[in-house]
C-alpha cells in the first residue's frame, strides 16, 4: 500500500486529494511556489516543499524539482491532480522510472489520448461514434479547403494537442476558412508547441455529455453515469449537472456498456472521462481526459462513490471496490465553478479574499482552498472554489443552489457568483432548454 503521496498541484484540487489521503491514512506532501507559501493546501499537508518561483513553468510544471521533492520527502507516489503535469506522459514515465507510483494511467495511454487525432481514431476502432471530420491531420491549407467542402460548412478547425477550449476556430463559409485555419495554426503552435490541426463538422446545437469511468489493473471497468456540461463560456465549462436530463435510463445503460467495453479492450487503468457531443439523440466522441476532472464531485454526490479514493486505491494495485451493479444514482446534482473573474467580462481577478463566508446546510458541499485573508495570485487558473449541490430532484436542486449562492460571501475579488445566481433564476435553465451555445446566446458576445 502507498504510505506517502506527494500532490503535484495547488488550490482546491490539491485540498480535495489531501482529504482523500487523510481518509485513507496516507501521509501527504504538498509542493508550492513562493507565491503559495501560505496557501491552504500547504497548511493542511503533513509536509511541504517549495519547488520554485511563482511562474508555473518554474514551479508546478518543473519536473526535476517535483520529482526531487518526492525523493527527498520519501513519498512513494505522486498524484498530479488536474491541469499542470496531469496529462504529461513524459512526467508519468519519469515518475515510474524513479521507482514512484504515478496516480494515473500508463504513460502510453496518456500520450494516446493527449493527441486528439489518435484519441478519435482509437475511439472509432473501439466502436464508439465520433464527430464526422477529417481522417487524421490536415497537412496543408489546400487539402484542408477541399476536405472542409466535403465535410460541409460550418467546419471546426481543432488542434491535435489542444485543451482548455483553445486552438479552435469555426469557419462558417469557404471565405472564412483560410483565415480561421491560419489563426488556429498560430494559436496551437504558441499554446501547445504543436501546430498539427484536424477538422470536424461544427455541430449546431449539441449538448456536452461525458461519462466518468474507473478501471483497475485486473480488467474491471465501471462507469458512474454521465454529466451534462453544456453551460460553457469560450468552450470552457462553468456549470455541470449529473445526471443529464436528456439521456433515458436505457440509453445510459446501453451507452455505458459500450464505453466500459471499449475501456476494457484498451486495458486502461485509472479514472477517466470520455467526452461526447449529443445532438439529435446521438452521442459523438470528441476526446478523453486521462485524469480526475474538476466536475468529478457531482458524480460523487449522486453515486456515493469517492472517485479520488478509488483512483488512489486502483493506482496502489487494489481491485475496484464496487461493480457496475453497485452503482446507483440518487437525485440530482449541480456544480457551479466559482472562478475569480468578472462575471460579465470574464477578466481574471487577483487580490485578497475578505469576509469569507461559506454556505452549508443539507445537500451543500464546497470544495475550495479559500480562507479569510487568503491571496488569489495572478499566476494560475482562475477556479477558486466549487459549489456542489444535491437534492432529490432537479427542481429542488436549483432552489437549494440559489439559497447556497445567496449565502456565499467572497469579498475583495470578483467572482462568477452573480452570473450563477442569474442562471438559477433563468427560465431556460429551469426547463433544461440549453446547449453549448446557451451562455453566448443569452448574455452576448463577451461570453
Ligand atoms: P478542449 O480539450 O480544448 O476542452 P474539446 O474537444 O473537449 O476541447 O471541446 C471543448 C468544447 O468545444 C466542447 O465542449 C464543445 O462545447 C465545443 N466543441 C468541440 N467540438 C465541437 C464540434 N465538433 N462542434 C461544436 N462544438 C464543439
Amino acid at each position: 500500500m502507498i504510505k506517502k503521496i506527494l500532490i503535484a498541484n495547488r488550490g482546491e484540487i490539491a485540498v480535495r486529494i489531501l482529504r482523500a489521503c487523510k481518509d485513507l491514512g496516507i501521509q501527504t506532501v504538498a509542493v508550492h511556489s513562493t507565491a503559495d507559501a501560505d496557501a491552504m493546501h500547504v497548511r493542511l499537508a503533513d509536509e511541504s516543499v517549495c519547488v520554485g518561483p511563482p511562474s508555473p513553468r518554474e514551479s508546478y510544471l518543473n519536473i526535476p524539482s517535483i520529482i526531487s521533492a518526492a525523493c527527498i520527502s520519501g513519498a512513494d507516489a505522486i498524484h498530479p491532480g488536474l491541469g499542470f503535469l496531469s496529462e504529461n506522459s513524459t512526467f508519468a514515465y519519469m515518475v515510474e522510472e524513479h521507482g514512484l507510483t504515478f496516480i494515473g494511467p500508463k504513460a502510453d495511454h496518456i500520450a494516446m489520448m493527449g493527441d486528439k487525432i489518435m484519441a478519435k481514431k482509437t475511439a472509432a476502432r473501439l466502436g464508439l461514434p465520433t464527430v464526422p471530420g477529417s481522417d487524421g491531420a490536415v497537412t496543408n491549407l489546400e487539402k484542408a479547403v477541399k476536405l472542409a467542402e466535403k465535410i460541409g460548412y460550418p467546419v471546426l478547425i481543432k488542434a491535435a494537442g489542444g485543451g482548455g477550449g483553445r486552438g479552435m476556430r469555426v469557419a462558417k463559409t469557404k471565405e472564412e476558412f483560410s483565415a480561421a485555419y491560419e489563426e488556429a495554426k498560430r494559436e496551437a503552435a504558441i499554446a501547445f508547441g504543436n501546430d498539427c490541426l484536424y477538422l470536424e463538422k461544427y455541430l449546431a446545437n449539441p449538448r456536452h455529455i461525458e461519462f466518468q469511468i474507473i478501471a483497475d489493473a485486473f480488467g474491471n471497468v465501471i462507469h458512474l453515469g454521465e454529466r451534462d456540461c453544456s453551460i460553457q463560456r469560450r468552450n470552457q465549462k462553468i456549470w455541470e449537472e449529473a445526471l443529464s436530463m436528456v439521456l433515458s435510463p436505457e440509453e445510459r445503460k446501453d451507452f455505458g456498456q459500450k464505453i466500459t467495453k471499449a475501456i476494457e479492450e484498451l486495458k486502461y487503468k485509472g479514472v477517466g472521462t470520455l467526452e461526447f457531443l449529443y445532438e439529435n439523440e446521438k452521442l459523438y466522441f470528441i476526446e478523453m481526459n486521462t485524469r480526475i476532472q474538476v466536475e468529478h464531485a457531482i458524480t460523487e454526490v449522486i453515486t456515493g462513490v469517492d472517485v479520488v479514493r478509488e483512483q488512489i486505491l486502483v493506482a496502489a494495485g487494489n481491485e475496484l471496490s464496487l461493480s457496475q451493479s453497485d452503482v446507483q444514482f440518487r437525485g440530482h446534482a449541480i456544480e457551479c465553478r466559482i472562478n475569480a473573474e468578472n462575471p460579465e467580462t470574464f477578466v481574471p481577478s487577483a487580490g485578497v479574499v475578505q469576509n469569507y463566508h461559506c454556505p452549508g446546510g443539507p445537500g451543500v458541499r464546497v470544495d475550495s482552498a479559500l480562507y479569510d485573508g487568503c491571496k488569489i495570485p495572478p499566476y494560475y487558473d482562475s477556479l477558486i472554489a466549487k459549489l456542489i449541490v444535491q437534492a432529490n430532484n432537479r427542481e429542488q436542486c436549483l432552489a437549494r443552489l440559489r439559497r447556497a449562492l445567496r449565502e456565499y460571501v467572497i469579498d475583495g475579488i470578483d467572482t462568477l457568483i452573480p452570473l450563477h445566481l442569474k442562471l438559477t433564476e433563468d427560465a431556460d435553465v429551469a426547463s433544461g432548454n440549453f446547449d453549448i451555445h446557451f451562455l453566448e446566446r443569452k448574455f452576448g458576445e463577451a461570453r
Side-chain angles (χ1 to χ4, degrees):
M1 185 55 195
I2 293 170
K3 291 196 182 71
K4 197 189 259 194
I5 294 179
L6 179 137
I7 300 159
N9 219 295
R10 66 180 299 281
E12 66 81 23
I13 195 65
V15 171
R16 169 69 190 90
I17 296 161
L18 267 158
R19 287 177 171 148
C21 293
K22 285 176 191 272
D23 289 351
L24 282 163
I26 296 173
Q27 292 283 303
T28 51
V29 183
V31 294
H32 67 91
S33 69
T34 49
D36 277 339
D38 294 326
M40 182 65 103
H41 75 283
V42 177
R43 294 178 174 206
L44 291 179
D46 297 306
E47 295 165 52
S48 63
V49 182
C50 180
V51 286
S55 151
R57 206 165 286 281
E58 294 174 87
S59 50
Y60 297 103
L61 291 170
N62 185 338
I63 296 179
S65 278
I66 288 173
I67 294 185
S68 305
C71 295
I72 294 164
S73 58
D76 38 30
I78 296 186
H79 195 309
L82 48 86
F84 294 127
L85 295 167
S86 62
E87 288 176 298
N88 182 322
S89 57
T90 308
F91 178 61
Y93 177 78
M94 284 176 70
V95 169
E96 298 276 337
E97 279 293 288
H98 282 78
L100 305 164
T101 300
F102 179 75
I103 302 183
K106 282 180 249 161
D108 289 353
H109 283 142
I110 300 176
M112 172 191 272
M113 293 302 171
D115 177 338
K116 292 177 157 198
I117 295 175
M118 219 196 297
K120 270 186 88 173
K121 282 192 174 164
T122 306
R125 177 170 59 78
L126 296 171
L128 299 174
T130 58
V131 181
S134 59
D135 183 26
V138 284
T139 44
N140 67 50
L141 179 60
E142 203 184 317
K143 283 187 195 159
V145 173
K146 279 195 191 134
L147 210 60
E149 203 104 310
K150 219 169 112 194
I151 294 166
Y153 287 97
V155 162
L156 188 61
I157 306 158
K158 294 175 97 168
R166 282 179 305 164
M168 245 186 259
R169 287 289 181 286
V170 187
K172 292 198 198 79
T173 59
K174 191 178 171 185
E175 288 63 48
E176 285 181 17
F177 189 85
S178 35
Y181 180 89
E182 298 300 346
E183 261 179 53
K185 209 170 177 62
R186 243 191 331 267
E187 188 173 312
I190 295 168
F192 316 114
N194 169 10
D195 68 357
C196 182
L197 301 177
Y198 65 107
L199 305 184
E200 253 176 22
K201 175 84 193 158
Y202 183 66
L203 301 184
N205 304 108
R207 292 173 91 108
H208 174 114
I209 295 202
E210 56 183 39
F211 276 78
Q212 174 74 58
I213 61 99
I214 317 180
D216 66 20
F218 305 93
N220 303 305
V221 187
I222 58 166
H223 74 85
L224 298 176
E226 81 283 4
R227 300 182 281 258
D228 186 324
C229 314
S230 302
I231 302 188
Q232 305 180 348
R233 63 113 173 75
R234 298 183 193 135
N235 298 318
Q236 283 182 303
K237 305 155 191 168
I238 61 159
W239 164 299
E240 299 102 344
E241 306 199 18
L243 297 165
S244 158
M245 299 168 76
V246 296
L247 285 196
S248 68
E250 292 72 37
E251 283 176 300
R252 179 168 305 115
K253 192 168 168 218
D254 286 357
F255 216 76
Q257 266 170 5
K258 260 195 195 157
I259 289 170
T260 48
K261 195 172 149 277
I263 294 300
E264 204 183 311
E265 237 177 280
L266 199 59
K267 297 195 167 39
Y268 181 89
K269 180 196 67 155
V271 303
T273 302
L274 289 96
E275 299 194 333
F276 298 85
L277 293 179
Y278 180 86
E279 196 173 63
N280 300 327
E281 294 172 21
K282 287 204 187 84
L283 283 160
Y284 302 94
F285 175 90
I286 47 171
E287 68 160 339
M288 178 171 179
N289 289 141
T290 53
R291 53 168 168 80
I292 193 77
Q293 281 190 298
V294 169
E295 58 272 27
H296 74 277
I298 46 172
T299 299
E300 293 187 322
V301 298
I302 61 155
T303 59
V305 177
D306 183 329
V307 178
V308 180
R309 179 189 179 95
E310 288 298 322
Q311 182 189 28
I312 295 170
L313 288 174
V314 160
N318 294 281
E319 271 195 64
L320 273 177
S321 74
L322 73 168
S323 62
Q324 193 63 53
S325 57
D326 298 323
V327 179
Q328 304 288 331
F329 305 109
R330 288 192 305 259
H332 194 83
I334 301 178
E335 170 180 279
C336 292
R337 294 194 190 196
I338 313 293
N339 293 355
E341 288 171 17
N342 180 295
E344 280 168 13
T345 61
F346 295 103
V347 171
S349 171
V352 176
V353 170
Q354 284 155 6
N355 304 324
Y356 186 65
H357 176 79
C358 184
V364 175
R365 163 173 163 183
V366 175
D367 280 15
S368 92
L370 296 176
Y371 59 89
D372 208 28
C374 75
K375 278 191 224 121
I376 306 298
Y379 318 105
Y380 312 113
D381 191 88
S382 60
L383 180 75
I384 52 167
K386 304 182 318 200
L387 173 60
I388 302 123
V389 171
Q390 192 253 354
N392 290 337
N393 58 46
R394 190 167 181 274
E395 197 187 341
Q396 289 172 21
C397 192
L398 275 170
R400 206 166 247 185
L401 180 57
R402 197 175 309 125
R403 180 257 287 169
L405 283 164
R406 284 184 183 145
E407 274 181 37
Y408 211 162
V409 181
I410 308 176
D411 288 344
I413 51 164
D414 286 338
T415 76
L416 295 188
I417 290 175
L419 172 65
H420 286 303
L421 254 177
K422 266 195 217 166
L423 292 174
T424 63
E425 288 154 3
D426 187 276
D428 287 321
V429 171
S431 63
N433 178 27
F434 51 77
D435 58 39
I436 59 163
H437 307 299
F438 169 80
L439 213 53
E440 192 183 313
R441 256 197 317 267
K442 196 99 198 174
F443 299 109
E445 275 306 301
R447 274 130 194 150

